[in-house]
Amino acid sequence: MPSMPMLQCTDVHKWYGDFHALRGVSLCVERGQVLVVCGPSGSGKSTFIRCINRLEDFQQGTILFEGTDIRVPDVNRLRAEIGIVFQQFNLYPHLTAERNVSLAPVKALGLSRAEARGRSLALLERVGLAGLADRRPGELSGGQQQRVAIARALAMEPKVMLFDEPTSALDPEMIGEVLGVMRDLALGGMTMVVVTHEMGFAREVADSVAFMDQGSLLEQAAPDEFFSAPRTERAKKFLNDILHAC
């Protein structure tokens, strides 16, 4: 008997007033799979993944998480199980890296301060920041701040990680260190949905690539197939433009 998908999205529509931002998006993400969502700016990619953990509402269709409609569970429990990392790091500037990571497990999971600190330090070591636990965000580079943000999401022990263009705010030399952490998560079996323009990452790490434009999912395929033989003219143009810009 086939296992249940971790995420199953069916005919998802989202409007902002009269603007139809998502137009019937349907896809599924299997447990342990890395799905990369790409497409031009304004295509609905970020809106789509924000719907997955209810940062955005949607007006039509269903999103199931482990077989349960995401609008049924308590939203805080849902967000504990579906972590998200944003373009901007959204760290608390007055807290150290360690405190940024340990705060939510104390407040939301009820861990003791000592338990949360131990988890925080282990995660900071995992993302390559073991020696920087006592630094505040202003004392860290952009790449280091984003790695703290990844550790903060992991501190809730989520079953799925969403990444909303996590390297777009970084200088080029810092992109590799963040992508390296994401590669390690993928190798460790984390289920991930990644919105990114980093096509090298998609080729290397993704199990599946979804291409969106103007709110619609135009195609989805394995990386080799998507990059060598995209089915739609819009995807061909997108790949030609983005690969020639690199």
Side-chain angles (χ1 to χ4, degrees), residues 25-191:
V25 177
S26 296
L27 54 76
C28 71
V29 182
E30 303 293 341
R31 191 176 306 273
Q33 184 180 41
V34 178
L35 171 68
V36 166
V37 183
C38 63
S41 296
S43 60
K45 308 181 300 295
S46 294
T47 298
F48 171 63
I49 68 164
R50 289 171 66 89
C51 286
I52 292 174
N53 75 341
R54 292 175 58 186
L55 286 172
E56 295 278 0
D57 196 12
F58 55 98
Q59 289 79 35
Q60 184 178 319
T62 58
I63 299 177
L64 303 182
F65 171 58
E66 295 189 313
T68 300
D69 191 311
I70 65 166
R71 288 177 284 198
V72 174
D74 173 77
V75 68
N76 292 322
R77 182 169 67 83
L78 180 80
R79 289 176 184 161
E81 296 189 323
I82 304 179
I84 188 165
V85 176
F86 302 95
Q87 298 177 39
Q88 302 298 329
F89 324 122
N90 296 334
L91 300 177
Y92 293 108
H94 63 292
L95 297 180
T96 64
E98 182 274 315
R99 288 287 285 143
N100 265 282
V101 175
S102 63
L103 183 63
V106 171
K107 298 290 188 183
L109 301 181
L111 267 64
S112 70
R113 176 73 185 99
E115 289 174 313
R117 177 175 170 80
R119 181 179 295 188
S120 176
L121 293 175
L123 286 168
L124 288 171
E125 182 174 8
R126 183 176 175 183
V127 299
L129 298 175
L132 303 179
D134 293 328
R135 294 196 185 180
R136 288 177 170 76
E139 302 172 294
L140 301 173
S141 71
Q144 289 167 339
Q145 290 185 63
Q146 191 63 293
R147 284 186 280 159
V148 173
I150 293 172
R152 177 180 59 186
L154 291 172
M156 298 296 286
E157 298 186 338
K159 296 178 180 178
V160 180
M161 285 282 284
L162 311 176
F163 292 87
D164 185 8
E165 300 199 32
T167 61
S168 65
L170 300 179
D171 293 333
E173 63 270 21
M174 298 176 186
I175 290 173
E177 62 193 53
V178 173
L179 293 180
V181 171
M182 293 168 64
R183 285 188 189 93
D184 289 343
L185 288 176
L187 288 171
M190 175 63 73
T191 306

